[in-house]
Amino acid sequence: MDVMNSDNVGGSLQISTDVLAKIAKQAALEIDGVQEVSAANTGVKGLLGKVNPQKAVTVQLNDDVAEITICVIVGYGCKIPSLCEKVQKNVKSSIQNMTNITVAHVNVMVCGVLLPVTE
């Protein structure tokens, strides 16, 4: 699904939801404590190909208003609620500033914790 803006002089503008997903991913990775943006673990069924893998970032558009769901892996020891709030704010502001698309919700799913490497 694409967002169209026909108010441009001499043409139209289309922004793909894939572009919005890439902006969201980069914005999440800018937050200290986010180690990866990765799809949720689907378990053994997912490894055997029985379940469709979930995307790391999904974008739903309804009447040119976006709802973003992003799966993150956080570093061990970080404060998850405050980290998720920072991710929500940064994703929302990045998409709105770069595209002029209104973001209604940013849902953050913590899909894992990256443990420190011990030697």
Side-chain angles (χ1 to χ4, degrees):
M1 186 171 175
D2 296 338
V3 176
M4 294 189 67
N5 182 352
S6 58
D7 294 338
N8 291 337
V9 176
S12 66
L13 167 68
Q14 292 182 343
I15 301 173
S16 169
T17 54
D18 291 340
V19 171
L20 299 177
K22 287 180 183 180
I23 293 169
K25 179 178 180 178
Q26 187 59 40
L29 289 171
E30 290 174 357
I31 303 301
D32 191 35
V34 175
Q35 301 299 313
E36 293 179 44
V37 174
S38 180
N41 185 3
T42 56
V44 175
K45 287 184 180 180
L47 293 174
L48 299 174
K50 304 275 185 190
V51 175
N52 291 336
Q54 182 180 354
K55 289 185 175 183
V57 180
T58 57
V59 178
Q60 292 183 330
L61 288 170
N62 296 322
D63 299 326
D64 294 340
V65 176
E67 181 173 331
I68 314 293
T69 302
I70 187 163
C71 300
V72 297
I73 296 176
V74 300
Y76 180 80
C78 69
K79 297 189 184 300
I80 292 175
S82 63
L83 179 134
C84 290
E85 187 176 321
K86 290 176 187 174
V87 169
Q88 288 174 317
K89 287 179 182 178
N90 201 40
V91 168
K92 182 176 182 173
S93 67
S94 294
I95 289 176
Q96 290 184 161
N97 290 338
M98 293 179 72
T99 66
N100 266 354
I101 294 172
T102 302
V103 177
H105 302 285
V106 177
N107 304 310
V108 180
M109 293 176 49
V110 178
C111 299
V113 176
L114 189 64
L115 299 175
V117 177
T118 57
E119 295 181 24

